[in-house]
């Protein structure tokens, strides 16, 4: 039973990679990092009822468990290579395993990612994925490089996933499909992260909320940041269902967007916007790096706003 | 809160490794594999009530979560380098985190293992660890190399952990301390695994039980195996609390021993026993590889025994 899910995923992905010397089925996988490359490694756990609502489809769980990890690689500018998956579940049904394998494999296939190992056990529903990607020495996008005067930018739109979570309680969720899709099927910004190498001075993916995650860049870089609230990119789906104040709150502190927030020297912004457009990724200038510490949010008149809360802390919530 | 446990472990281990370019605190760690080496990677989850009993101390949980993963590296003959830890827990108390960090760090320190990343979240108590170790190309100990005529050997003694689990139900557990220690504080056979490189034809660690795990070697190698039951190494602690039949059952099918079971050509056995003695590891010849498939257990008269069950399957149990 132990390799059942793992085997189902392997059959669906079937990615042949020369760098996988021994794949699934031994005590450990044996892999080779290409000469001159370094390895980016991340791990993240999704827990039912904490990171995804009870009732989320196994397809969405499989997709999201990989997506949140690929988002960490995207934030480093790394190229995905291999993953491990550890599942604990009370549901040993073939339908559950097939669904989870489908969702995981759909996303993995986009990146020629190979599943190289894993573990399945009976227990409460939690999915842990560890991912590995390649970077060149000195090239990884860290949180610590933001400098006073840099501008702050984000990819895509913010707040949709938090709005989708709110909408799940509605009697009819059909009108909110676009928002719920952002919650359940986040698309990691892998190509965008790679395009930012050598240009962005700092980068992070937005998992806990913009204010909280930009705060991590500020803390690591020893700087502060201001955000211009009116500039925050928000989708038409968000505005069609929520008023301005709620949409702003979702954009500032809603988690699970998995967009990239990054800093660039002001004279590089135009080049960078063109680079991201080439990989199909919209980007918006939302603020700037300043002296001091922490993140301040300014309204259209330049007054400081106090968000209702500053980011979704999985542990504190 | 997210980096709380991870930070506690980092403070306790504080292993400086040149191959860790960016450690804990960014979206991913950046590490470098030494030139000419390949990477062994494994992941395992422990779930409360499945892999360790409710009431197990946080120190023992932290130790065991790393130990079972290092045991996978040991079975490949790999040298441990880095680990990631993902914890889900309902108990956010400093005492719990300190205990878990203590147990993890005690074992990590023995191997100069660096914790390079992790994730802490609220949820049911599960601990997932992913480990990375180094091997040289072609050198890893696989399950697939056993050949007819090889002899089958195991390190240490078998059955103690299963006996320890049984004893936890006793009103006074003090007399069973040695057995319970084997259950809660398994010592991965890392040095033994390294000493087997270039000698053993196949190797596995015994997590599910001897018959089940040797069965994995047989399946991967396309061979069968016979075990001579009277030869199975069992501790005096085991024999002092259990009769022969129960001790045999624990040794054949009890999980959680984390000894190595391996095969060697008959003419290499003596050298190999001396090599393992040099790293302080006892080893016992318990059987041989034969044509066919599956594992047969023979009594002193050479008759086939039927074990009461063939290995502890976490999912089926």
């Amino acid at each position: 039973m132990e390799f059942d899910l793992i085997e189902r995923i392997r059959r669906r992905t079937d990615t042949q990679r020369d760098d996988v010397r021994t794949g699934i089925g031994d005590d450990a996988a044996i892999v080779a990092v290409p000469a001159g490359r370094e390895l980016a490694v991340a791990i993240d756990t999704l827990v039912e009822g904490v990171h995804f609502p009870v009732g989320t489809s196994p397809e969405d769980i499989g997709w999201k468990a990989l997506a949140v990890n690929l988002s960490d690689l995207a934030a480093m500018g790394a190229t995905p290579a291999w993953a491990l998956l550890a599942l604990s579940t009370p549901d040993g049904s073939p339908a559950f395993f097939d669904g989870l394998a489908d969702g995981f494999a759909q996303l993995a296939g986009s990146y020629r990612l190979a599943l190289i190992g894993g573990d399945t056990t009976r227990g409460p529903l939690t999915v842990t994925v560890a991912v590995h990607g390649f970077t060149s020495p000195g090239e990884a996008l860290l949180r610590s490089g933001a400098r006073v005067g840099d501008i702050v930018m984000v990819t895509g739109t913010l707040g949709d996933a938090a709005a989708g979570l709110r909408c799940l309680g509605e009697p009819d969720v059909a009108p909110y499909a676009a928002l719920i899709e952002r919650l359940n099927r986040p698309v990691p910004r892998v190509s965008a992260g790679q395009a930012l190498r050598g240009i962005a001075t700092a980068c992070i993916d937005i998992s806990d909320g913009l204010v909280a995650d930009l705060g991590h860049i500020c803390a690591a870089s020893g700087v502060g940041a201001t955000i211009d609230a009116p500039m925050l990119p928000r989708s038409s789906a968000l505005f069609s269902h929520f008023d301005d104040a709620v949409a702003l709150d979702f954009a500032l502190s809603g988690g699970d967007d998995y967009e990239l927030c990054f800093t660039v020297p002001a004279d590089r912004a135009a080049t960078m916007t063109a680079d991201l457009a080439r990989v199909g990724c919209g980007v918006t200038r939302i603020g700037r790096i300043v002296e001091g510490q922490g993140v301040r949010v300014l309204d259209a008149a330049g007054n400081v706003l106090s968000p209702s809360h500053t980011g979704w802390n999985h542990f504190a919530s």
Side-chain angles (χ1 to χ4, degrees), chain A:
Chain A
M1 208 64 169
E2 175 132 336
F3 291 114
D4 194 80
L5 170 69
I6 305 307
E7 185 57 25
R8 280 165 206 259
I9 295 176
R10 192 197 59 74
R11 280 201 305 269
R12 282 167 172 78
T13 50
D14 196 28
T15 300
Q16 300 298 324
R17 293 184 63 104
D18 289 344
D19 51 27
V20 179
R21 308 294 198 230
T22 301
I24 294 160
D26 217 300
D27 293 290
I30 304 291
V31 290
V33 177
R37 308 282 288 191
E38 292 180 347
L39 203 58
V41 191
I43 191 168
D44 255 316
T45 298
L46 301 189
V47 177
E48 182 179 49
V50 180
H51 302 92
F52 58 86
V54 174
T56 301
S57 75
E59 289 80 359
D60 288 342
I61 296 168
W63 174 288
K64 189 166 183 174
L66 178 57
V68 303
N69 277 281
L70 290 179
S71 183
D72 281 325
L73 293 186
M76 306 299 284
T79 303
W82 318 304
L84 306 164
L85 186 156
L87 171 73
S88 151
T89 175
D91 181 357
S93 75
F96 178 83
F97 284 166
D98 278 338
L100 205 145
D102 279 343
F104 187 97
Q106 281 166 25
L107 187 58
S110 312
Y111 299 104
R112 296 198 64 254
L113 184 92
L115 185 73
I116 57 170
D119 179 40
T120 307
T121 190
R122 183 181 294 284
L125 182 49
T126 71
V127 193
T128 301
V129 173
V131 288
H132 300 77
F134 302 145
T135 64
S136 292
E139 187 184 67
L141 304 172
L142 305 184
R143 297 179 178 179
S144 53
R147 297 290 170 261
V148 174
D150 285 354
I151 64 172
V152 178
M153 307 188 85
V154 292
T155 60
T157 59
L158 300 177
D160 290 342
L165 183 64
R166 178 79 60 92
C167 295
L168 283 179
E170 296 297 316
D172 175 14
V173 298
Y176 313 108
L179 299 173
I180 294 170
E181 177 87 0
R182 287 291 308 269
L183 175 70
N184 288 333
R185 295 271 176 153
V187 178
R189 292 293 192 180
V190 173
S191 302
Q194 292 170 359
L196 291 174
R197 293 185 298 217
I199 300 179
T201 52
C203 186
I204 194 169
D205 71 317
I206 302 175
S207 54
D208 295 335
L210 173 64
V211 173
D213 287 315
L214 179 54
H216 292 316
I217 286 184
C218 289
S221 299
V223 297
T226 61
I227 294 172
D228 299 312
M231 306 291 286
L232 292 178
R234 278 157 288 175
S235 71
S236 56
L238 182 63
F239 278 128
S240 69
H241 295 294
F242 293 93
D243 67 26
D244 275 13
V246 175
L248 178 61
D249 189 45
F250 284 152
L252 287 171
S253 60
D256 271 1
D257 285 324
Y258 301 103
E259 297 292 351
L260 298 181
C261 175
F262 57 94
T263 57
V264 285
D267 60 2
R268 305 295 296 273
T271 316
M272 193 273 318
T273 301
D275 289 344
L276 289 192
R278 266 193 294 277
V279 297
C281 179
V283 65
T284 307
R285 174 182 179 144
I286 61 166
R288 57 210 161 277
I289 296 297
V290 297
E291 292 186 3
Q293 58 185 17
V295 177
R296 291 185 312 156
V297 181
L298 308 181
D299 66 14
N303 300 314
V304 176
L305 288 171
S306 295
S308 56
H309 57 292
T310 55
W312 184 34
N313 182 321
H314 289 307
F315 214 98
S317 64

